[in-house]
Amino acid sequence: MAAEKKVILVTGGSGLVGKGLQHVVEQDKRADETWVFLSSKEANLTSLEDTRAVFAKYKPTHVIHLAAMVGGLYRNLKYNLDFFRNNSAINDNVLSTSHETGVKKVVSSLSTCIFPNKTTYPIDETMIHNGPPHSSNFGYSHAKRMIDVLNQGYHTQHGCNFTSVIPTNVYGAFDNYNLEDGHVLPGLIHKVYMAKKEGTPLTVWGTGKPLRQFIYSHDLARLMIWVMRDYNEISPIILSVGEEEEVSIKEAAMAVVEAMDFKGEVIFDTTRADGQIKKTASNAKLRRYLPDFKFTPMKEAIKESCDWFVANYDTCRK
Amino acid sequence: MAAEKKVILVTGGSGLVGKGLQHVVEQDKRADETWVFLSSKEADLTKQDETQAIFEKHRPTHVIHLAAKVGGLYKNLNSNLDFFRDNMAINDNVLNTSYKTGVRKVISCLSTCIFPDKTTFPVDETMIHNGAPHQSNYGYAYAKRMLDVQSRAYHAQHGRNFTSVVPTNVYGPHDNFNLEDGHVLPGLMHKVYMAKKEGSPLTVWGTGKPLRQFIFSRDLAKLIIWVMREYEEADPIILSVGEEDEVTVKDAALAVAEAMNFKGEVIFDTTKSDGQTKKTASIVKLRRYLPNFKFTPMKEGT
C-alpha cells in the first residue's frame, strides 16, 4: 500500500492513554504520520459546532477517540444521567463528524467496566451486550456500549471503518492519582508515597483478594497504534495481558511497596468494599493476531510509574 | 391529591396509538386535563430548537412520548444507523426539554421487538437488556432501550417521574395498512378487503403458526392513561393481553375474514418468512396493579 500521509487526531490526548501514545509515537516516528493530541481545553466535544471546527482545523484522516466524561464510583453514582448524555453527545459528534469529513478510520475506547454485571468468565468481545451493566455506572456503560452500535451502523450503512478497543486496568505516568476519583494502582502509588512521607502504615482498602489484569499505558499505546494501522474488523478487540497474568490487589500493593522501597506496615481495611472480585477478560482474539507481542514485565512498568509519580508529585493530577 | 390542571402533550399524536388516546379521552373528559396531540407536521423533534419551541407553546405538565422514526423490515435493514440516530435525537430532545421545563411525568413507548433475540419465554420487564436484539432492527431497538436507560437516569439523578410502557402487537383504526411497511393485523385487513373486491383468495404470508398477543389500540390507550395518572415506577411496564390470549396468525386471519364477511379461500404462502415464532410477554406486573382490567374481546376489536 502506498504510504499516503496520515493525520491522526487523538481526542482525550492529554490523559493517561493519550500520554502513553505520545510517548510511543516519539520513539517510533514515521514520515507518513502526523499526530495531533487534543485536550478538552481546545474543544468541547459535547458541542457539534466545536467538534466540526476542530476537525476542520486539523483535517484528520484517522481518529483515536479516547475523550470521555469519566469519574470514580461516587461521581458515577450521583450523575448517571450526565455520564450518559455527555458521553452520548461526545461519541455521536466525533463519529458523525468523522463520517462527514471522510475520516478513513476511527478507533474508540471502551472499557471492561461496561460488561454485564452478571456474567461467566473470562469475558470476551462477544459478550458486551449480554446483560445490564453494574447499576453504579449504568449511564457511562450504556453510552460506551452504544459506540459499538454506532460503529456497526456506520459500517453497514456507509461502509465506514469505525472500530473499538477494550482495555482492562490501565496504569502509567500522567494518571489521575486522586484518592477519591482515581483507580486502584495510581491510588496505591499515591498512598505509599504519603505513608513513606508521614511514617505511617500503608492502608489498602478491602481484603486485597480481588483480581485484576493490569496493562501498562505504553503497551496499550503500542497495541492501539497496531489497531489503527492494521486491525480491520468493526467488532471490538480486548487489549490486555492474558488471564494467567491476573494479579490480586494485594500482589499489586506489594509490587508498589517494593518499587518505592517502603519499609512500613501494610494493613488491609476490610471495612471498605472490594468492588468486583474478578473481571477476567480473555485476550485470545489479540493473541490470534499478535501471538508474539511482549508486554512490559509488571515489576518494570510499576517501577517506571512510581518513579514518574515521585518526580512529578507537585504537578500531577491528584 | 388536589386536582391541579394537567396539560398532556402527546408526541406522535396522529398515529395508531395517538388516535386511540384521542378516542378514549373524548369519552372520558376530565375538567383538570387538557390534551394536546402533536404531529410531525407541527414540529421536527429531531431538532432541539423545534422541540423547545413546541414545549414553550403548549407548556405541558405531562408528556406521552409516542413519536419515533418507525418502519417495516426492509426499511430497518438498510438504515439501522439512521433509525438509531434519529430516534436517539428525538428521545433526547423530548426528555431533556421535559426535564428543563419542569414536566412532572413523561411516559415513553417501547416495543416488544426490542427485547433480546435469544431469550426464554415469557419475556418480562427485567429482561430488556439481557442480550443483543434481532439483527434486522438493532438501530431502532437500541435507541428504544436507551429510552429506558434515560428514564431511570432522570429518576436517579433528578428525582423525575419518567417511565416507559411496552405494548405488544397493537391494532385498531388509523393504523398503517401498507402491505410492505405495516404490521400483521392491518396487513390482513387490507388484504381481505382487496381479496373481496377482486374476488381472489386471501393469501397469508408464512405458515400462520407464529403466535402473537394483540392489544386493541383503545385498550392500550386506557392503560397508558392509567400509567399517566397512577403508575409511579421508573421501571417499564408491559401493556398487553395475557399469555393465555396469545393467538396464531392463522386465527387472527380467520377473525379478520369473519369480521369482514369474506367467503373466499384462505391460502398460506409458506415461501414467505414467518418472522419470530413467538414473542410471548408476561403481564404479571400489570395484573398486580390492575387485576380486573377487561380487554375488548378480539372479535369485537377486529
Side-chain angles (χ1 to χ4, degrees):
Chain A
M1 239 167 58
E4 330 123 332
K5 294 265 182 235
K6 290 192 183 90
V7 175
I8 304 125
L9 181 70
V10 182
T11 73
S14 57
L16 168 66
V17 182
K19 287 291 188 183
L21 281 165
Q22 282 189 46
H23 173 92
V24 171
V25 148
E26 284 295 306
Q27 320 236 298
D28 177 33
K29 283 201 202 321
R30 293 202 179 180
D32 62 328
E33 286 178 4
T34 304
W35 287 77
V36 179
F37 292 88
L38 209 64
S39 94
S40 52
K41 292 179 191 58
E42 218 185 319
N44 171 10
L45 299 172
T46 63
S47 149
L48 179 60
E49 226 181 293
D50 272 27
T51 307
R52 283 180 170 157
V54 90
F55 271 66
K57 178 175 177 184
Y58 292 110
K59 305 197 190 313
T61 58
H62 294 66
V63 174
I64 294 182
H65 174 42
L66 307 176
M69 172 172 172
V70 298
L73 175 67
Y74 296 106
R75 201 141 79 102
N76 267 281
L77 269 172
K78 211 169 159 190
Y79 298 109
N80 267 298
L81 178 72
D82 294 351
F83 274 92
F84 179 77
R85 293 192 71 239
N86 289 337
N87 284 315
S88 295
I90 291 170
N91 299 334
D92 192 73
N93 289 339
V94 170
L95 290 174
S96 68
T97 307
S98 295
H99 166 240
E100 278 164 17
T101 59
V103 165
K104 298 210 198 52
K105 190 158 179 178
V106 180
V107 179
S108 294
S109 187
L110 308 187
S111 165
T112 43
C113 71
I114 73 174
F115 275 83
N117 185 33
K118 297 199 189 325
T119 182
T120 55
Y121 296 99
I123 52 188
D124 67 48
E125 293 86 351
T126 66
M127 293 159 66
I128 292 174
H129 303 283
N130 282 5
H134 194 266
S135 60
S136 59
N137 67 339
F138 73 91
Y140 174 88
S141 297
H142 281 290
K144 282 286 189 186
R145 290 181 181 198
M146 292 307 107
I147 292 177
D148 179 50
V149 173
L150 281 167
N151 288 345
Q152 290 178 49
Y154 274 104
H155 182 73
T156 316
Q157 208 173 310
H158 299 293
C160 298
N161 199 353
F162 296 172
T163 188
S164 59
V165 299
I166 311 175
T168 48
N169 277 55
V170 195
Y171 67 99
F174 296 98
D175 208 332
N176 175 5
Y177 300 88
N178 180 287
L179 293 171
E180 288 278 323
D181 242 15
H183 294 103
V184 63
L185 256 178
L188 286 168
I189 294 174
H190 192 171
K191 282 185 174 182
V192 170
Y193 181 92
M194 300 297 292
K196 271 183 84 172
K197 198 165 137 190
E198 291 162 11
T200 51
L202 166 68
T203 305
V204 180
W205 286 356
T207 62
K209 294 193 178 132
L211 297 156
R212 296 289 183 268
Q213 284 149 296
F214 291 100
I215 179 169
Y216 188 33
S217 60
H218 293 180
D219 294 338
L220 177 60
R222 286 188 287 139
L223 289 170
M224 288 188 77
I225 291 167
W226 165 76
V227 167
M228 194 270 299
R229 289 175 186 151
D230 292 310
Y231 176 74
N232 291 316
E233 293 184 43
I234 303 304
S235 315
I237 180 166
I238 289 171
L239 302 179
S240 171
V241 298
E243 296 168 59
E244 65 287 356
E245 304 290 329
E246 213 174 21
V247 298
S248 67
I249 299 297
K250 177 173 178 179
E251 284 171 283
M254 299 318 286
V256 172
V257 158
E258 192 185 318
M260 293 178 84
D261 203 34
F262 176 70
K263 303 283 184 220
E265 203 190 343
V266 179
I267 298 172
F268 290 87
D269 180 359
T270 53
T271 68
R272 295 279 184 175
D274 262 341
Q276 276 178 273
I277 300 293
K278 49 195 270 131
K279 296 184 182 183
T280 323
S282 163
N283 75 353
K285 185 172 186 176
L286 175 63
R287 283 303 185 198
R288 273 200 306 273
Y289 278 98
L290 299 178
D292 300 325
F293 183 86
K294 299 252 174 308
F295 289 92
T296 308
M298 196 171 168
K299 234 180 158 143
E300 195 184 310
I302 288 197
K303 184 89 177 74
E304 280 178 28
S305 305
C306 293
D307 289 349
W308 185 89
F309 179 75
V310 172
N312 290 277
Y313 180 77
D314 293 332
T315 52
C316 72
R317 289 183 288 150
K318 55 190 186 299
Chain B
M1 237 167 58
E4 329 124 332
K5 295 261 181 241
K6 289 191 184 91
V7 175
I8 303 124
L9 181 70
V10 182
T11 72
S14 57
L16 168 64
V17 182
K19 287 290 186 184
L21 281 165
Q22 281 189 45
H23 175 93
V24 171
V25 148
E26 284 296 306
Q27 318 238 297
D28 177 30
K29 283 202 208 304
R30 292 201 181 183
D32 62 329
E33 285 179 6
T34 304
W35 287 77
V36 179
F37 291 88
L38 208 65
S39 93
S40 54
K41 293 178 191 58
E42 224 187 311
D44 175 358
L45 299 172
T46 63
K47 303 218 171 3
Q48 205 263 320
D49 51 0
E50 289 190 38
T51 309
Q52 181 87 15
I54 208 84
F55 271 67
E56 273 162 18
K57 176 176 176 184
H58 295 292
R59 300 191 181 294
T61 58
H62 294 66
V63 173
I64 294 178
H65 174 42
L66 308 175
K69 178 181 163 100
V70 298
L73 176 66
Y74 297 106
K75 249 216 288 186
N76 267 281
L77 266 175
N78 291 323
S79 314
N80 271 297
L81 178 72
D82 293 347
F83 273 88
F84 179 75
R85 295 188 71 236
D86 287 351
N87 283 313
M88 287 289 283
I90 291 171
N91 297 337
D92 190 69
N93 287 336
V94 171
L95 263 58
N96 187 242
T97 309
S98 295
Y99 161 66
K100 286 194 312 212
T101 60
V103 165
R104 293 207 283 274
K105 194 158 179 179
V106 179
I107 294 136
S108 295
C109 193
L110 309 187
S111 163
T112 43
C113 73
I114 73 174
F115 275 83
D117 185 38
K118 298 197 189 331
T119 181
T120 55
F121 295 101
V123 300
D124 68 48
E125 294 85 350
T126 66
M127 293 160 67
I128 291 175
H129 303 281
N130 282 5
H134 194 263
Q135 192 54 23
S136 60
N137 68 338
Y138 68 88
Y140 172 89
Y142 276 115
K144 282 288 187 185
R145 290 180 181 199
M146 293 307 107
L147 258 177
D148 170 53
V149 170
Q150 287 207 78
S151 298
R152 288 186 285 114
Y154 275 101
H155 184 79
Q157 194 172 324
H158 297 294
R160 288 310 172 94
N161 207 347
F162 290 10
T163 188
S164 56
V165 298
V166 191
T168 48
N169 276 57
V170 194
Y171 69 98
H174 302 278
D175 205 336
N176 175 6
F177 297 89
N178 181 288
L179 292 171
E180 289 276 324
D181 244 15
H183 293 103
V184 61
L185 258 179
L188 286 169
M189 291 176 197
H190 190 171
K191 284 185 172 179
V192 169
Y193 180 92
M194 301 297 291
K196 273 182 84 173
K197 198 165 137 188
E198 292 162 10
S200 52
L202 167 66
T203 306
V204 180
W205 286 356
T207 61
K209 293 195 180 130
L211 295 152
R212 295 290 183 267
Q213 285 149 295
F214 292 102
I215 179 169
F216 189 36
S217 61
R218 290 171 192 178
D219 293 340
L220 178 61
K222 288 192 204 150
L223 290 170
I224 289 177
I225 291 167
W226 166 78
V227 167
M228 194 270 300
R229 290 177 185 150
E230 322 267 358
Y231 178 75
E232 302 289 315
E233 293 183 43
D235 291 329
I237 181 166
I238 290 172
L239 303 179
S240 171
V241 298
E243 296 171 58
E244 64 286 359
D245 288 312
E246 215 175 17
V247 297
T248 61
V249 171
K250 175 177 177 178
D251 285 346
L254 294 178
V256 171
E258 190 183 322
M260 293 177 81
N261 208 8
F262 176 71
K263 302 286 183 215
E265 203 191 345
V266 179
I267 300 172
F268 290 88
D269 179 359
T270 54
T271 68
K272 297 280 188 187
S273 88
D274 263 341
Q276 275 177 276
T277 304
K278 47 195 270 135
K279 294 184 182 185
T280 323
S282 163
I283 58 161
V284 165
K285 185 171 186 174
L286 175 63
R287 282 303 183 200
R288 275 205 301 271
Y289 279 98
L290 298 177
N292 301 319
F293 183 85
K294 300 251 174 303
F295 289 94
T296 307
M298 194 170 168
K299 247 185 155 139
E300 205 181 304
T302 27

